[in-house]
Amino acid sequence: MARDERALRAAAEQSAAILTAAGMPKMPARVLMALTVAEDGGLTALDLGGILGVSAAAISGAVRYLQSIAFVRRLAQPGSRRDRYEIPPNVWLAAFAQERPIYRALAGLADVAYSAIGDQTSTAAGRLEEMSSFYRFMDARLPALMAEWEQQREEQQYDGGRAPDLLPRSPD
């Protein structure tokens, strides 16, 4: 099957829009998705600017943000002054692993606020109790879920960056 660049770019832009709606800044989301669908696994800032139709400054800021959250790594290209940016292997798992300390901190702060309320029968106390329980649940369940993903990932043997069909596709 031939690569459909138009459909691929549309899917990448739609994915970036969803990431933006979930809280990721727009340009880093667009860069992340452009790198995700890059056939060679990585692109230069010039390539990214051309694909996305944006300035070098926009790419620079987006890449800096993505590097700070470990979604992108920069690789020097021998014989060139241009760096290449790519997504490290297993980045999705790493992103979730980074969130665990945040879950613990939020649960702890919800507990502090719950104690400070005084009236544990109040509506606010109920919301804080649920918040604490939710984040403790997520923190407790993530290690098993991540281990399950690692096992599945090894069993599936992602070949050359191509993921096998893990879920049934909807009929066209």
Side-chain angles (χ1 to χ4, degrees), residues 72-90:
V72 167
R73 65 181 176 192
R74 179 177 58 185
L75 300 170
Q77 295 193 91
S80 174
R81 292 182 350 181
R82 298 187 196 279
D83 291 326
R84 181 179 168 95
Y85 300 98
E86 64 180 37
I87 297 174
N90 214 6

Side-chain angles (χ1 to χ4, degrees), residues 136-146:
R136 288 190 196 292
F137 173 82
M138 292 300 291
D139 184 51
R141 293 296 306 266
L142 269 176
L145 190 59
M146 292 185 321

Side-chain angles (χ1 to χ4, degrees), residues 48-127:
L48 285 164
I51 290 167
L52 299 175
V54 298
S55 70
I59 296 299
S60 176
V63 166
R64 190 170 33 255
Y65 174 83
L66 291 168
Q67 285 178 302
S68 76
I69 60 171
F71 266 83
V72 167
R73 65 181 176 192
R74 179 177 58 185
L75 300 170
Q77 295 193 91
S80 174
R81 292 182 350 181
R82 298 187 196 279
D83 291 326
R84 181 179 168 95
Y85 300 98
E86 64 180 37
I87 297 174
N90 214 6
V91 73
W92 309 109
L93 177 69
F96 272 88
Q98 283 181 313
E99 298 301 316
R100 287 196 62 215
I102 293 169
Y103 296 157
R104 285 185 217 124
L106 287 169
L109 290 169
D111 291 342
V112 168
Y114 175 85
S115 296
I117 284 184
D119 177 10
Q120 273 62 45
T121 63
S122 76
T123 305
R127 286 192 302 265

